[in-house]
Amino acid sequence: MTTYTALPVPPTALKELRATDDAGHPTEPFTARGDGVPQDSIGAPLRCCLRAVRAGERVALVSYAPLRRWAAATGARPGAYDEQGPVFIHAEECEGPDGAAGRYPAVGAGSLRVLRRYNDRGQIIGGRYLEVPEDAPAAFDAALGEAFADPETALVHVRAVEYGCFHFEVRRP
């Protein structure tokens, strides 16, 4: 069986996002608090280290365009398929992915996800809805196996259905 790797937001992108997000807005860090001020964030997935936000951490909610950034690095031209969406990141540099978070972070049972497949030109070539069951790793392994069974699939983006948040990217093994 193939092992897939959930990729966080790359360090170069994080450095840029900590100043200005992909929608051109200045980043506005805040301290995660239990009362939801300035917004609910405790328990939300961090895309820099692939674990949940903890009370007292300095974080920021930014707009991120993962396909645009991948395309810039590879020469792909996603055109209208370029999307941006909200992600939480640490406001300052962190240690990166937390091995204790599991292979597929922020995927509790009952979570609703969409897996979008892209070819090497940056065009969307399909997608799949996934209601995450108790055995989340097995469900993601199966869904990603289906996605990469298509030789055209270069990468898969996993997003939340409810808010469109980008969760992680998986590239062809």
Side-chain angles (χ1 to χ4, degrees):
M1 172 183 275
T2 302
T3 299
Y4 301 99
T5 302
L7 300 174
V9 174
T12 304
L14 288 168
K15 184 176 182 179
E16 295 168 359
L17 292 169
R18 288 180 175 123
T20 305
D21 72 10
D22 285 346
H25 301 121
T27 301
E28 298 179 18
F30 60 93
T31 300
R33 299 175 5 181
D35 60 7
V37 176
Q39 62 188 38
D40 291 334
S41 60
I42 295 175
L46 288 157
R47 286 15 174 265
C48 49
C49 55
L50 302 179
R51 68 160 175 81
V53 173
R54 298 175 186 140
E57 290 186 297
R58 293 286 294 161
V59 297
L61 181 62
V62 298
S63 183
Y64 176 54
L67 191 64
R68 179 185 315 159
R69 288 175 174 274
W70 172 82
T74 64
R77 298 178 51 108
Y81 297 107
D82 178 31
E83 335 177 45
Q84 57 191 38
V87 297
F88 282 99
I89 61 172
H90 276 115
E92 290 86 30
E93 189 173 336
C94 69
E95 303 214 1
D98 181 347
R103 285 193 303 132
Y104 304 116
V107 291
S111 298
L112 305 176
R113 300 291 180 259
V114 62
L115 287 78
R116 294 187 181 139
R117 298 183 294 119
Y118 297 91
N119 64 22
D120 62 359
R121 294 178 308 283
Q123 300 166 334
I124 196 166
I125 56 172
R128 182 188 195 287
Y129 168 82
L130 177 66
E131 183 171 348
V132 180
E134 286 295 325
D135 189 352
F140 272 95
D141 285 344
L144 290 164
E146 290 171 15
F148 289 113
D150 179 348
E152 292 269 330
T153 302
L155 68 150
V156 175
H157 284 176
V158 176
R159 290 182 176 269
V161 171
E162 304 91 332
Y163 300 102
C165 300
F166 173 82
H167 276 265
F168 57 87
E169 175 178 294
V170 177
R171 294 187 184 176
R172 177 170 288 287

